[in-house]
Amino acid sequence: MGGAIVLLTVGPAVLLAGSWVALNIRGSAGALERRAAAAAELAMHARGDLGPARRVASAAFYRFAGSVLALCGIILTLGGLLELA
């Protein structure tokens, strides 16, 4: 019973977070892309490299990762429902 409660709590949260990025609600995938670029630039400056920052991941990658995360949330939720039954 305790595992079902955990799965039914974590599953919808993961589903919501993943679908938020996968559907690019309010530009979340673009914001993640900009944040990664800024972090890569800061890391390069900390190392003393003043060249242009490499592009780590695009918004399409974050949308793909969000869709995988949403799918995992569905699986966790269904696992919790099956454990209750």
Side-chain angles (χ1 to χ4, degrees):
M1 180 74 169
I5 299 296
V6 170
L7 289 175
L8 287 174
T9 303
V10 173
V14 170
L15 174 64
L16 180 68
S19 61
W20 188 273
V21 175
L23 297 174
N24 201 18
I25 297 175
R26 298 185 70 178
S28 59
L32 285 171
E33 179 183 22
R34 288 188 302 274
R35 183 177 179 192
E41 185 177 347
L42 284 175
M44 287 181 62
H45 285 286
R47 287 192 313 259
D49 186 5
L50 299 178
R54 289 184 307 155
R55 186 172 172 175
V56 178
S58 66
F61 170 77
Y62 286 113
R63 291 183 73 178
F64 174 74
S67 63
V68 170
L69 195 65
L71 190 62
C72 290
I74 290 172
I75 292 171
L76 288 174
T77 304
L78 290 177
L81 289 174
L82 286 174
E83 192 173 325
L84 279 179

